[in-house]
Amino acid sequence: MNVQQQFRRLPSIDALLANMPEEVARWGHTQLVEALRQQLDQLREAIAAGISADISSESIRQSALETLAARSRATLIPVFNLTGTVLHTNLGRANLPPEAIEAIGTVAAGASNLEFDLASGKRGDRESHVESLICEITGAEAATAVNNNAAAVLLVLNTLALGRTVPVSRGELVEIGGSFRIPEVMSRSGCSLVEVGATNRTHLDDYRHAIDNTTALLMKVHTSNYEIQGFTASVAEPDLAVLANEHDLPFVIDLGSGNLADFKALGLPDEPTVAQALANGADLVTFSGDKLLGGPQAGIVAGRADLIAAIKRNPLKRALRLDKMTLAALAEVLTLYRDPEQLVRKLPTLRLLTRRASDIQAQAKSLLPDIARALAPKFQVSVEDCLSQIGSGSLPVDTLPSAAIRIAPESGDDSDVRKLAQRLRELPVPVIGRIHKGALWLDLRCLEPEQQTGFADQLADLTL
Ligand SMILES: *Cc1c(COP(=O)(O)O)cnc(C)c1O
């Protein structure tokens, strides 16, 4: 058969569609015709290139439907975070509690009093739904909330330091995850950084000497993802607050992780709270909503009422403001902080951070047979002690004892570990672990007990 004859044997779109009433109803005429046309185009190309292809109507329909199904699958999907990093920026940081998820659904579905004061019938303030909660929990006079902490820092500097200078310690010129760097955020917010002190040591006099008539404020940045050890010195917050006060300058602390809970009492590595930063004399504190606070992505500025009022008047504020779904979720999460006895049980971030190593180990042991069965005989599987990280704004040196399933290839070949990691990422709910010393480690800290069955069941689908 020559090429022309083969082209003529290809079915028409109409002929293909005639047998597909259910598929037309499911995908709609437009999408289905487009997918069938694509299949026919591909077949024509194959025929022209002399490649043999299945041109039966059944095969064309099948391929078109597969393409449609693949294309309509969501790309943003749940995964199992078994990296051992509780607040993993690449995996979406904090898991929200059911109260917050429900509130998101409710405001998303219909009209709400987002910016409408029900008492007066007049225009309201969207931040009224969270501001008083933030003040109640942190002791701040006033607060505002924006898209994330990067936005909070940008907005504070742009409002209070535009065209002026801000001294920051050389030991605190932080980079967070590549795209947020204090010096770059400062220049984009329109102020000039004045570096003070040395990388390892900064003294109060360094700040004092940097202050002149261009200085807008004093700022301290929490070094959330590194620690300088050895011969070090930094200026305590109360001392900087006094110095700022002497010069009538606002004192701003970028706290990064917005911890609102007493970590020591929870048996966690000590982490400064927003309330402490304010009590230490900060006029403004900026922090994230989706780090230790355990809420949705947001940035919060809390502190002096006159400064917050100025920030709210900044035209940039509108560009950085929160949407109704985030505000609804944030309000619910903040509400949980009113009940400290239930907080750890109800707030996923604190619940995961405080899981006991012995519980995680018991969970690992109960899962071990299922995992061993799915991976035998190519892989050796064992339960091992490991260390989880808090992630996103807590020192990487602060780790939490945990337990992992360690999966090592019988071959001892690193490429087998990488292949296994890839297969796990291809599961319906991808499993993300950590490769360490020739093995794949699945830290079970973030596998909540009720997820365990779903996790184990899909391992049966694993093809190695
Ligand atoms: C995480 C962090 C930021 C950025 O916060 P996002 O909410 O991720 O925008 C800024 N400053 C510090 C000190 C941080 O730890």
Side-chain angles (χ1 to χ4, degrees), residues 93 148-150 176 180 221-222 224 254 256 288 291:
R93 290 196 186 158
N148 55 16
N149 188 37
I176 312 284
F180 177 93
V221 182
H222 189 53
S224 33
D254 174 19
S288 289
K291 292 185 180 172

Side-chain angles (χ1 to χ4, degrees), residues 145-211:
V146 287
N147 181 57
N148 55 16
N149 188 37
V153 174
L154 177 83
L155 193 59
V156 166
L157 292 172
N158 182 266
T159 307
L160 303 179
L162 185 64
R164 299 170 67 196
T165 61
V166 177
V168 180
S169 163
R170 288 196 167 91
E172 297 174 2
L173 298 176
V174 180
E175 173 181 305
I176 312 284
S179 50
F180 177 93
R181 288 171 153 187
I182 286 291
E184 287 163 16
V185 171
M186 293 183 84
S187 78
R188 284 299 169 121
S189 59
C191 67
S192 304
L193 164 68
V194 176
E195 295 184 24
V196 302
T199 304
N200 57 331
R201 290 173 72 82
T202 301
H203 308 280
L204 192 60
D205 270 346
D206 296 323
Y207 288 96
R208 201 190 303 280
H209 294 145
I211 295 175

Side-chain angles (χ1 to χ4, degrees), residues 20 37 72 164 181 191 222 232 303 363 402 424 438 457-458:
M20 308 180 83
R37 206 185 300 280
S72 67
R164 299 170 67 196
R181 288 171 153 187
C191 67
H222 189 53
T232 64
Q363 187 187 17
S402 184
L424 288 172
D457 284 353
Q458 67 163 3

